Amino acid sequence: MKVYDEATIIENYKMSHAVQDIKALLKELEHVTQTERLVISTGEGAQSMLYMPSIHLKKQLGMIKITSITPKNPAVNRPTTQGNIIITNIDTGEHVASLDGSYLTRLRTGALSAIATEYMSRQNAKTLGLIGTGGMAYEQFLGNMEARSIDHVILYNRTTDKAEQFKSKIHDQYPDLNITVVENVSDLVKQSDIINCQTQSTEAVFNADDVQKGTHINGIGSYRPDMREIDYQILPDASHVVFDDIEGVKVEAGEFIEANEKDIYPFENVYGDLKALVDTETIERSDDAITVFKSVGAAYFDLAVALGAYEQLQSNESKNT
């Protein structure tokens, strides 16, 4: 069995690859099967273990991703989210590769936002607001940069020092980019063309009244019924609401579950899922329209990037031999 560490995967597999591979898989989803993600709480708050299997019948390859979420880890200089992916040849039953899954998880989630931003935000969107600068934030930044010509990034984090550190990280790679750290999330929301939320909050991280016309919102942080980050009062004002996986959102996304229960935004009002978005490749929206994308993750998205990375790594190895 081949073993690939995070550094090797990062060197060979980029955001553009992930976006392309997820789009390709969504166009042949009839060949893909998965079971419901298993989430086991292992402590207080978001601390948990996640098990996500999926199989690509056409490629005769399957994978299972095992992820741990340990919010206290940054205090001891360990990552909050750690993961590993095992790829199996389902024809022979051989486990052919083990890939570090932490980067691939961050990358696929960033790629989902990239696809949503590409199809749902205004073509002339230039200002990106990032709410939360933790472990998932950098790939969210990269995903939006892949989709739009961003020239201004606004950062908000409950701990301002962490936002400043994140600013330095971005600036090292993008020295010409205008980056602002704000202490009031309202300032970010009022100025942003695209708002990206990546938190594990149990309450809304922004006020719907601050959202300006023409804004696109990506919510990727809350993935359990007790979590909320998007202010669901914005949903009735949205021209299009898209989920990465409709059935997953119905049982995992707390703010949408509550909005449905209170009849503020019933699930049947959703425009569709990410597959529908990729199949149509565009939505009709005015420059004043507000659009919302919600992601909770699904195993087949991990399958797309896991197999994509594995194939890319194999290809590069062949070229070098």
Side-chain angles (χ1 to χ4, degrees):
M1 181 170 65
K2 293 272 190 159
V3 178
Y4 298 102
D5 62 17
E6 182 170 292
T8 302
I9 299 169
I10 290 174
E11 182 180 351
N12 288 273
Y13 193 70
K14 307 297 183 181
M15 180 62 70
S16 58
H17 297 129
V19 170
Q20 178 181 341
D21 288 335
I22 289 173
K23 286 181 178 179
L25 182 133
L26 287 171
K27 288 182 178 293
E28 53 182 27
L29 207 53
E30 69 273 13
H31 300 298
V32 174
T33 184
Q34 68 175 30
T35 60
E36 185 176 337
R37 173 172 65 183
L38 176 63
V39 181
I40 302 175
S41 177
T42 57
E44 296 181 356
Q47 186 167 330
S48 55
M49 293 290 298
L50 289 74
Y51 300 87
M52 303 172 69
S54 186
I55 292 172
H56 199 304
L57 296 170
K58 185 177 182 180
K59 293 186 176 184
Q60 286 290 287
L61 291 170
M63 73 96 217
I64 183 166
K65 185 178 78 169
I66 304 170
T67 302
S68 63
I69 299 175
T70 315
K72 63 184 179 182
N73 270 0
V76 290
N77 295 317
R78 294 193 186 111
T80 298
T81 302
Q82 301 173 75
N84 190 257
I85 295 171
I86 302 297
I87 296 178
T88 301
N89 180 322
I90 60 175
D91 182 47
T92 66
E94 179 187 5
H95 304 309
V96 295
S98 171
L99 287 74
D100 186 288
S102 299
Y103 167 69
L104 287 176
T105 297
R106 301 192 305 270
L107 195 71
R108 69 92 156 122
T109 310
L112 297 178
S113 291
I115 294 168
T117 295
E118 176 187 352
Y119 293 137
M120 299 180 72
S121 71
R122 301 193 327 266
Q123 291 284 338
N124 62 348
K126 299 288 186 183
T127 300
L128 168 65
L130 295 173
I131 301 177
T133 57
M136 301 293 285
Y138 188 67
E139 282 72 24
Q140 291 299 309
F141 162 74
L142 291 179
N144 282 283
M145 292 291 287
E146 184 79 18
R148 288 288 179 262
S149 298
I150 302 297
D151 59 22
H152 184 198
V153 176
I154 306 173
L155 306 175
Y156 171 81
N157 196 76
R158 287 184 302 174
T159 306
T160 304
D161 287 348
K162 290 184 178 179
E164 292 287 355
Q165 293 169 16
F166 189 73
K167 175 182 176 179
S168 297
K169 179 179 180 178
I170 295 177
H171 195 261
D172 286 344
Q173 300 297 320
Y174 297 83
D176 297 328
L177 191 62
N178 180 18
I179 309 168
T180 305
V181 173
V182 296
E183 296 186 0
N184 188 334
V185 70
S186 178
D187 294 335
L188 178 151
V189 174
K190 290 177 180 178
Q191 296 178 59
S192 297
D193 301 319
I194 302 164
I195 300 170
N196 222 103
C197 305
Q198 46 278 329
T199 76
Q200 294 176 354
S201 179
T202 56
E203 58 185 27
V205 295
F206 65 84
N207 190 320
D209 292 338
D210 291 331
V211 177
Q212 304 297 298
K213 291 182 178 179
T215 301
H216 172 64
I217 302 168
N218 293 317
I220 65 96
S222 59
Y223 60 91
R224 292 194 331 217
D226 62 324
M227 292 179 174
R228 288 151 182 77
E229 62 178 358
I230 292 175
D231 183 351
Y232 55 68
Q233 297 294 342
I234 196 63
L235 299 178
D237 295 329
S239 66
H240 297 80
V241 176
V242 171
F243 299 155
D244 65 341
D245 179 80
I246 291 177
E247 295 308 312
V249 170
K250 285 182 177 180
V251 297
E252 295 178 350
E255 61 266 72
F256 286 87
I257 293 171
E258 186 172 339
N260 176 71
E261 290 173 348
K262 293 183 175 180
D263 205 32
I264 292 171
Y265 189 83
F267 282 124
E268 54 264 28
N269 287 2
V270 68
Y271 171 79
D273 60 10
L274 204 62
K275 175 175 172 52
L277 200 60
V278 169
D279 285 344
T280 58
E281 296 190 347
T282 186
I283 60 173
E284 293 185 8
R285 60 158 293 161
S286 70
D287 283 346
D288 287 341
I290 292 170
T291 53
V292 178
F293 170 67
K294 176 59 190 171
S295 171
V296 293
Y300 55 83
F301 298 124
D302 294 289
L303 180 73
V305 297
L307 298 189
Y310 176 58
E311 291 164 357
Q312 184 72 25
L313 287 158
Q314 285 189 308
S315 175
N316 290 350
E317 286 175 349
S318 297
K319 293 175 184 176
N320 295 330
T321 56

